[in-house]
C-alpha cells in the first residue's frame, strides 16, 4: 500500500447523508480489514491525519475538508460461515441493514428493532446505535480493533457502551469486526417487527432528505431540573430520557433556518440540509438551539452526530 493507491481531492459530502463537508486530500474505500489496517499504518508513517468512516450517516466533515486520509470501510456480504449457532461474526464494513436482514432470515432475534437505521455495523458500534430501547451494544460479545500498534479483542465490558456512547468515541482505534450474541426467535414474528418498523420510519420522514437523523441526544432524567420535570407531559419521556425534540419544539426550533440548514417541519431534533447548506451554517444553527434550550430550561444539549 502506498499513497498512489488513494484518490486525491475526493469530495466528502456525497459520502455523508448530510451532504456536508469539503474534500479529502486522500480517500480510499475498502471492505478488506487487512487493507484498512495497512491504510492506518501508512497514514501514521507519513504523519497524516486519518479518519475511518462507515456509511457517513452520523459524520459531518468541515467545509474546508480533511487534510489527510479518509478511509471508507464499507461493503461486504454475509454467508453461513458468519454464523456459529446464535453468534454472528461480521466485519464492521457491512451495512447494518444487511446484518439485520440476515439475522431475521436466520430466525435470530436481537437486531430486528434496529431495522431502518442507516449506516454500517462499525458506525453503529461506535455510537451504540439503537431504537425503541434496544441497543447494538447489548448484543456485542467482543470487538476486534486495531489500536495503532496491534490487533486485539475487546470484551463487551471494555467497550463501555452507554446511551449513544462507547469507548470508541474517545479512543483513536479502528474497529475491524464484531461478534454479536443473538437468541433464537420466530422468523415470522421477527420479519413483521422489522417490516413494521421500516414502514413506521417511512411514514415519519423521507429517507432522501439530507440529515443525520436525531441531531442531539435525549436528556437523561437526572439532568432535568426537578421543577421542570414535574411540569412535563409524561408522554415526552421514554426509556428514562426526556425527548430533546420536545424541548426544541418548545423553544420554536421548527421555524429556524440558517443558510441551507433548517429544523425539519416534522421533528424538532432533525436538522436538514436543503443541498446548499454548509457545515458552518449547521454549527451556527446547532449553537443557537443549544442557547435557546439552555436559556429556557437550564439544560445543556449534547450532539449525537460527530463533527470531524
Ligand atoms: C434518517 C436517519 C435515521 C437515523 N436513525 C437512527 C436511529 O434510530 N438510531 C440511531 O442510533 N441512529 C440513527 N441514525 C444515525 C446513524 O444512522 C447511526 O449513528 C449509524 O449507526 C452510524 O453509522 P455509519 O456507518 O453511517 O457511521 P459514520 O457516520 O460513518 O461514522 C460514525 C462515527 O463512527 C466512526 N467509525 C465508523 N466506522 C468506524 C470503524 N470501523 N472504526 C472506528 N471508527 C469508526 C466514524 O469515524 C465516526 O466518528 C439515523 C441517521 C439517519 C440519517
Amino acid at each position: 500500500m502506498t499513497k498512489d493507491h488513494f484518490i486525491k481531492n475526493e469530495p466528502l459530502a456525497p459520502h455523508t447523508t448530510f451532504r456536508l463537508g469539503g474534500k479529502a486530500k486522500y480517500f480510499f474505500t475498502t471492505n478488506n480489514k487487512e487493507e484498512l489496517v495497512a491504510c492506518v499504518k501508512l497514514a501514521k508513517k507519513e504523519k497524516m491525519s486519518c479518519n475511518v468512516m462507515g456509511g457517513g450517516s452520523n459524520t459531518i466533515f468541515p467545509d474546508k475538508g480533511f487534510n489527510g486520509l479518509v478511509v471508507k470501510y464499507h461493503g461486504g456480504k454475509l454467508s453461513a460461515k458468519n454464523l456459529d449457532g446464535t453468534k454472528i461474526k461480521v466485519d464492521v464494513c457491512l451495512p447494518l441493514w444487511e446484518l439485520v436482514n440476515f439475522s431475521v432470515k436466520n430466525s435470530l432475534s436481537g437486531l430486528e428493532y434496529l431495522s431502518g437505521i442507516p449506516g454500517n455495523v462499525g458506525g453503529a458500534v461506535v455510537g451504540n446505535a439503537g431504537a425503541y430501547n434496544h441497543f447494538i451494544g447489548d448484543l456485542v460479545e467482543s470487538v476486534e480493533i486495531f489500536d495503532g500498534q496491534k490487533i486485539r479483542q475487546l470484551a463487551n465490558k471494555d467497550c463501555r457502551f452507554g446511551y449513544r456512547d462507547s469507548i470508541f468515541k474517545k479512543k483513536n482505534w479502528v474497529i475491524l469486526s464484531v461478534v454479536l450474541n443473538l437468541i433464537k426467535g420466530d422468523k415470522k414474528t421477527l420479519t413483521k417487527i422489522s417490516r413494521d418498523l421500516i414502514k413506521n420510519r417511512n411514514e415519519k420522514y423521507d429517507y432522501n432528505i439530507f440529515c443525520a437523523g436525531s441531531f442531539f441526544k435525549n436528556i437523561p432524567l437526572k439532568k432535568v431540573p426537578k421543577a421542570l420535570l414535574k411540569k412535563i407531559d409524561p408522554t415526552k419521556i421514554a426509556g428514562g430520557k426526556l425527548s430533546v425534540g420536545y424541548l426544541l419544539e418548545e423553544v420554536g426550533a421548527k421555524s429556524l433556518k440558517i443558510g441551507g440548514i433548517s429544523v425539519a417541519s416534522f421533528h424538532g431534533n432533525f436538522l436538514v440540509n436543503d443541498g446548499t447548506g454548509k457545515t458552518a451554517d449547521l454549527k451556527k444553527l446547532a449553537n443557537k438551539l443549544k442557547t435557546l434550550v439552555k436559556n429556557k430550561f437550564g439544560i445543556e444539549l449534547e450532539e449525537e452526530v460527530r463533527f470531524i
Side-chain angles (χ1 to χ4, degrees), residues 17 51-59 73 92 117-120 122-124 126 129-131 164 173-175 201 205 207 211-213 270 304 306 308:
T17 56
N51 176 272
V52 177
M53 65 179 292
S57 63
N58 218 19
T59 299
Y73 188 41
V92 300
I117 300 181
N120 293 350
V126 171
R164 297 291 186 269
W173 295 337
V174 177
I175 307 176
R201 280 179 185 264
Y205 52 81
Y207 264 88
C211 74
F270 264 53
E304 182 173 324
R306 307 227 36 214
I308 304 299

Side-chain angles (χ1 to χ4, degrees), residues 11-249:
L12 288 166
H15 295 284
T16 72
T17 56
F18 233 132
R19 298 291 194 275
L20 291 173
K23 293 177 177 175
K25 187 169 182 190
Y26 296 107
F27 187 84
F28 190 71
T29 304
T30 181
N31 63 6
N32 176 302
K33 61 185 182 185
E34 285 78 27
E35 270 187 355
L36 170 61
V37 170
C39 285
V40 177
K41 283 182 175 166
L42 180 67
K44 195 174 174 192
K45 191 174 136 214
E46 299 279 340
K47 298 189 171 49
M48 270 194 286
S49 309
C50 180
N51 176 272
V52 177
M53 65 179 292
S57 63
N58 218 19
T59 299
I60 298 146
F61 289 105
D63 294 318
K64 66 177 194 308
F66 188 81
N67 186 21
L69 169 67
V70 173
V71 187
K72 181 168 170 172
Y73 188 41
H74 178 73
K77 287 255 175 289
L78 286 171
S79 71
K81 72 176 175 9
N82 296 93
L83 259 187
D84 173 12
T86 51
K87 286 188 211 298
I88 304 185
K89 182 174 183 192
V90 287
D91 288 348
V92 300
C93 46
L94 191 80
L96 186 63
W97 68 265
E98 293 252 15
L99 174 63
V100 173
N101 281 357
F102 182 82
S103 64
V104 167
K105 277 191 191 134
N106 285 283
S107 310
L108 291 170
S109 171
L111 288 160
E112 63 280 7
Y113 285 96
L114 276 56
S115 299
I117 300 181
N120 293 350
V121 178
V125 170
V126 171
N128 191 14
Y132 307 99
N133 237 3
H134 294 260
F135 306 97
I136 195 163
D138 294 341
L139 307 169
V140 167
E141 180 175 292
S142 61
V143 178
E144 182 189 28
I145 60 152
F146 176 63
D147 66 7
Q149 305 290 330
K150 58 181 190 309
I151 293 176
R152 57 193 177 94
Q153 303 287 333
L154 297 184
N156 180 299
K157 67 171 175 29
D158 303 321
C159 301
R160 298 200 209 137
F161 290 115
Y163 168 57
R164 297 291 186 269
D165 200 20
S166 73
I167 193 159
F168 308 109
K169 285 196 167 180
K170 289 156 202 109
K171 300 275 186 184
N172 206 8
W173 295 337
V174 177
I175 307 176
L176 305 175
S177 71
V178 63
V179 177
L180 301 165
N181 233 332
L182 306 180
I183 54 168
K184 279 269 171 226
D186 170 55
K187 188 170 165 179
K188 230 170 143 184
T189 311
L190 299 176
T191 307
K192 181 165 172 19
I193 294 173
S194 179
R195 283 198 187 140
D196 286 353
L197 291 178
I198 291 173
K199 187 166 166 263
N200 191 18
R201 280 179 185 264
N202 284 331
E203 281 165 6
K204 274 198 207 147
Y205 52 81
D206 173 0
Y207 264 88
N208 296 317
I209 55 171
F210 301 150
C211 74
S214 297
F215 192 86
F216 295 106
K217 292 181 182 180
N218 288 323
I219 322 293
L221 293 184
K222 63 174 190 275
K223 291 197 176 163
V224 182
K226 286 212 172 65
L228 172 64
L229 201 52
K230 277 189 203 147
K231 290 189 226 154
I232 286 188
D233 172 356
T235 62
K236 306 297 174 196
I237 296 170
K241 290 175 197 77
L242 171 62
S243 155
V244 72
Y246 163 75
L247 295 183
L248 288 165
E249 284 163 30

